[in-house]
Amino acid sequence: MDINDIFNETVTHTTLNAGKNKRKLGGAPSMRELKEGGYGIVDSSDATAKRTRVEDADDTVDAAEEYASSDNEGGRFFSDGLTAKEKGVMDWVDHADELDATLNPASVQRLVVRLERAVSKNTTDRVSHPDAPEKFVESEAELDEAIQRLQLLANDVQLLKVLDDLGALPTLVGLVAHENADIALDVIQLTVEMTAEDAWNSEGESPEERAAVIAFISDMAQNEFFVVLGQNLRRLNEGGESSEGEADRQGVFQTLALIENLVSLDVSLAEQAVDGMKLLDWLQHRVAKSFVQNTTQVDSNQQYAAEITSILLQASSKLREQAGSTFIDTLLQCLAKYRKHTPDEDIALEHLENIVESICMLVATARGKQAFLEAEGVELLVLLQKQPQVARLLSLKILDYALTPPSPNRTGETSNTETANVDTESRAIAKRYIDALGLKYLFSTLMHHGKSNMKKLYKAYPESDERAVNCIAWLLRLTETGTPLHWRVLAKFVPSPADPSSWKSHVDRIVELNTAYSERVKEAEDQVQSDSDLEDGEGSAEERYLSRMDAGLFTLQMTDTVIAFVAEEEQVKEHIEQRLKRKGRSLADVCLELAEYIATKRSDTLTAPATTTGNVKDLSTLLLEL
């Protein structure tokens, strides 16, 4: 039995496509490798050409005795049923890691030579027999195996430089455009393996290994890798129902996985890939299109495209600026599909959450806010908040980002002029939201009103409380005091002839959240203080501040902001003081927390100057500084 019979079946289109999404150990070992490795393989040429009938009889007797012995030990089902040759192959597989450990520049050179020969032979066969696939299917299988053998380099990425030194990178880039999409997928899978975090960060991040992978991808990019990759992405047909369609879907998945790896590896490389592939245009189309036949369900690559969009927009301010108004319009159309129903499947819910995350990243910029207004995004949010579905709660996150002007002290990306423009757009969004009667639904969410299905959603999305408080605080800050818009927000917290009682429930809810988050922040600070062995210095202060932020310090400060605005009404102020006193707090605590918030905004560090009760300002003065 030839060893190749175990690994290489008759090559068909199906076998060429099998197992594309798994890392392979490489091709079959040669007979010489197995013999030299001591894996019990005996070449047939070393055996005697003829065997006597006596030897055959002895072998039969020995086999019978061995079988009987194994049967006595526990029955025939405990025998492995493998021949010596097959046991040798399995032994080789078990020791494959040991063979990989011998990888060196010389062995990489042999892999490259094998690849070049396979490419040359396949090219010759395809040119000689363009209309007879059976004539070049064997050379294509050899090429497939040669590419997969290069995946061994994932065990030592510092040897990737040898590929460039030997001039193999142009060959690999050219194979991405190969007529057989499976060969292109092999190269893409190879780059996915090389850029995966466990290739350069398996035992703790190594700067040398990371630099080697970055250099490898950069060298590939110089050979137009990203351009060819984008062309290949667009030729894949995900809608096919045959095995070819499945291979194409796998090709799309691997391409997106490569982009995700590049974001973790080096954001600038990811930006270069997006530009070269013209990926934003493709993603804009793909997040809205499902290839599930005769249904509106979300397919796996559609969800993955939405996830990659979210990852890219979070990681790169450059890409956020590049995404045009048509992109946000497409995302809003995707969001609108969930207006009247909550997704039943996890994949659809993940798709919705990624769409929301992407919109949030875009509306955080001045350009995105303007596009959001033009696309009537505010009106869509109000429509979503009318329905007792999950989109009501997720829409609050979008509203929060749309209302919040970015801080130039934190991002370092926004100039004073741009910040002023963003503030103008945020005010326009606040005005339109109030005019669209969104306050009714915002306060309904704050109070957890709704049927039984909404009660479950409130528990599943507890951050909706934080979002509602943030939105209310920004609506109060973005509307000018004394104007009808500002009064319409403030009226939810003060007595009025039309509604003499509900204001108390709104105030009580804000105070309830204020005291709850105050307790969380205090517990977090005490925990850090007890666990910390550092002295009271900058490091310890920063650690405490970050711990308090994780516990909800920002939400606490937003509830303080709302209290500061509504406490200007004397009757409301007295009611707030009574409620706070029951929890051991006072308006002085609110002033201290607000003063810290204002000081931190103006500071270049994470920690604000210490504020004591002796020098704290009153609420009216603090409101002017907000």
Side-chain angles (χ1 to χ4, degrees):
M1 178 180 180
D2 187 357
I3 191 67
N4 290 321
D5 294 339
I6 297 174
F7 287 91
N8 297 332
E9 301 174 353
T10 302
V11 179
T12 64
H13 182 79
T14 303
T15 57
L16 277 175
N17 288 330
K20 288 296 180 185
N21 59 340
K22 298 180 180 178
R23 179 180 293 191
K24 299 178 176 58
L25 290 172
S30 67
M31 193 70 73
R32 178 180 177 183
E33 289 174 329
L34 291 171
K35 288 196 295 180
E36 291 179 352
Y39 297 112
I41 303 300
V42 179
D43 199 328
S44 60
S45 63
D46 296 336
T48 305
K50 297 182 179 180
R51 300 182 183 272
T52 63
R53 293 179 180 273
V54 176
E55 290 173 334
D56 291 341
D58 290 342
D59 290 344
T60 303
V61 173
D62 292 340
E65 291 176 352
E66 183 179 353
Y67 179 84
S69 175
S70 66
D71 218 20
N72 292 334
E73 293 175 1
R76 59 191 177 119
F77 295 106
F78 288 88
S79 175
D80 54 24
L82 298 177
T83 66
K85 186 178 295 186
E86 292 168 339
K87 289 180 179 179
V89 173
M90 298 304 295
D91 202 14
W92 176 84
V93 171
D94 292 339
H95 292 78
D97 291 339
E98 298 176 9
L99 296 179
D100 294 347
T102 63
L103 202 62
N104 53 47
S107 58
V108 174
Q109 184 175 6
R110 288 193 294 272
L111 292 175
V112 171
V113 170
R114 178 171 182 168
L115 174 66
E116 297 291 354
R117 287 176 179 172
V119 171
S120 178
K121 187 174 187 301
N122 180 247
T123 302
T124 301
D125 290 349
R126 276 188 168 271
V127 172
S128 302
H129 311 285
D131 299 324
E134 67 278 2
K135 298 289 186 181
F136 53 77
V137 67
E138 183 177 351
S139 65
E140 215 130 286
E142 293 174 358
L143 177 57
D144 175 87
E145 182 181 350
I147 299 172
Q148 292 176 20
R149 277 181 174 269
L150 290 176
Q151 291 184 14
L152 294 173
L153 290 171
N155 297 326
D156 190 354
V157 292
Q158 294 194 53
L159 288 173
L160 288 172
K161 186 177 184 302
V162 180
L163 294 180
D164 188 32
D165 294 340
L166 296 174
L169 300 189
T171 301
L172 289 174
V173 173
L175 289 174
V176 179
H178 195 278
E179 290 86 345
N180 186 347
D182 293 334
I183 298 299
L185 177 56
D186 283 337
V187 179
I188 296 171
Q189 186 175 3
L190 173 65
T191 57
V192 171
E193 294 288 345
M194 300 307 164
T195 56
E197 191 168 353
D198 58 2
W200 49 269
N201 195 22
S202 57
E203 299 178 356
E205 183 173 340
S206 167
E208 294 79 10
E209 291 183 345
R210 185 180 191 134
V213 177
I214 291 175
F216 169 69
I217 297 297
S218 298
D219 292 337
M220 291 278 282
Q222 290 180 3
N223 288 278
E224 303 298 327
F225 172 61
F226 293 137
V227 175
V228 179
L229 189 62
Q231 295 170 351
N232 180 73
L233 182 63
R234 286 166 174 78
R235 72 166 174 163
L236 298 176
N237 178 21
E238 298 182 75
E241 298 182 0
S242 63
S243 58
E244 291 184 1
E246 179 58 34
D248 286 355
R249 287 189 287 273
Q250 184 63 24
V252 171
F253 178 85
Q254 292 289 353
T255 303
L256 296 178
L258 174 59
I259 299 300
E260 184 175 7
N261 288 351
L262 292 181
V263 173
S264 299
L265 180 66
D266 190 299
V267 174
S268 62
L269 272 181
E271 292 173 346
Q272 189 176 351
V274 171
D275 290 341
M277 296 171 64
K278 295 181 172 56
L279 188 60
L280 285 180
D281 293 338
W282 185 89
L283 288 172
Q284 179 181 337
H285 169 76
R286 189 63 181 89
V287 296
K289 182 175 178 58
S290 173
F291 283 99
V292 179
Q293 299 294 329
N294 302 321
T295 181
T296 57
Q297 293 179 352
V298 175
D299 66 67
S300 59
N301 280 348
Q302 183 183 11
Q303 191 284 111
Y304 199 13
E307 182 179 348
I308 293 299
T309 300
S310 172
I311 290 173
L312 289 172
L313 294 177
Q314 289 182 65
S316 171
S317 59
K318 176 183 176 182
L319 296 179
R320 289 196 293 271
E321 292 297 331
Q322 286 182 358
S325 58
T326 56
F327 202 117
I328 198 169
D329 188 59
T330 299
L331 293 175
L332 290 174
Q333 291 179 29
C334 293
L335 178 62
K337 296 178 181 178
Y338 297 99
R339 183 166 66 92
K340 293 186 177 182
H341 76 282
T342 296
D344 297 326
E345 299 180 349
D346 290 342
I347 188 174
L349 184 58
E350 290 177 13
H351 179 257
L352 170 59
E353 290 174 346
N354 284 315
I355 291 295
V356 169
E357 192 67 41
S358 297
I359 295 174
C360 289
M361 293 300 102
L362 291 177
V363 299
T365 66
R367 185 177 181 183
K369 292 178 189 292
Q370 182 60 41
F372 186 69
L373 284 167
E374 293 174 354
E376 299 183 348
V378 177
E379 288 76 6
L380 175 61
L381 295 186
V382 175
L383 290 175
L384 293 171
Q385 291 170 12
K386 285 182 179 180
Q387 302 297 330
Q389 307 296 339
V390 68
R392 169 194 281 189
L393 303 184
L394 294 178
S395 68
L396 288 179
K397 184 175 183 179
I398 300 175
L399 181 62
D400 186 9
Y401 273 80
L403 291 173
T404 306
S407 171
N409 290 343
R410 291 287 173 264
T411 65
E413 301 169 359
T414 310
S415 66
N416 292 333
T417 303
E418 290 172 334
T419 303
N421 292 337
V422 173
D423 191 59
T424 301
E425 302 299 343
S426 295
R427 292 180 184 277
I429 291 172
K431 180 180 184 304
R432 187 173 294 188
Y433 183 77
I434 296 171
D435 287 341
L437 306 181
L439 292 177
K440 172 183 177 181
Y441 309 107
L442 176 60
F443 278 84
S444 176
T445 303
L446 175 70
M447 303 303 296
H448 285 195
H449 292 164
K451 299 180 180 178
S452 59
N453 64 319
M454 282 305 303
K455 300 296 183 183
K456 295 178 181 178
L457 290 174
Y458 289 131
K459 292 181 179 180
Y461 292 88
E463 66 274 13
S464 61
D465 290 337
E466 301 176 9
R467 299 296 178 187
V469 170
N470 293 351
C471 291
I472 294 170
W474 278 112
L475 288 171
L476 288 168
R477 293 172 65 180
L478 292 171
T479 52
E480 189 176 349
T481 304
T483 63
L485 287 176
H486 185 80
W487 174 249
R488 288 171 68 177
V489 183
L490 202 59
K492 296 291 184 178
F493 296 101
V494 298
S496 66
D499 189 2
S501 59
S502 63
W503 69 274
K504 288 187 177 181
S505 61
H506 295 158
V507 171
D508 291 348
R509 178 63 172 153
I510 293 295
V511 173
E512 176 190 350
L513 292 172
N514 181 271
T515 55
Y517 278 94
S518 174
E519 291 173 359
R520 293 186 195 178
V521 171
K522 184 66 168 58
E523 289 175 3
E525 186 173 9
D526 292 343
Q527 185 65 40
V528 171
Q529 185 65 30
S530 63
D531 294 343
S532 177
D533 294 328
L534 299 174
E535 296 180 358
D536 290 337
E538 183 178 352
S540 179
E542 182 174 318
E543 184 180 355
R544 285 198 300 271
Y545 181 80
L546 291 175
S547 178
R548 293 169 68 212
M549 287 295 291
D550 290 339
L553 175 61
F554 181 75
T555 302
L556 171 62
Q557 292 166 340
M558 291 298 99
T559 58
D560 291 334
T561 301
V562 176
I563 289 175
F565 273 104
V566 302
E568 291 187 314
E569 187 74 21
E570 192 62 32
Q571 183 178 353
V572 178
K573 182 178 180 180
E574 292 177 359
H575 184 76
I576 292 174
E577 288 177 329
Q578 292 175 0
R579 292 291 178 176
L580 288 173
K581 188 175 181 179
R582 292 179 184 179
K583 296 294 183 178
R585 283 173 58 79
S586 67
L587 286 178
D589 297 318
V590 172
C591 291
L592 280 170
E593 291 155 0
L594 264 184
E596 180 187 15
Y597 170 65
I598 295 171
T600 304
K601 281 180 56 181
R602 295 176 177 177
S603 174
D604 293 332
T605 63
L606 287 178
T607 55
T611 303
T612 63
T613 308
N615 61 11
V616 70
K617 302 173 183 177
D618 59 29
L619 288 176
S620 300
T621 304
L622 291 171
L623 284 178
L624 295 175
E625 296 180 2
L626 276 175

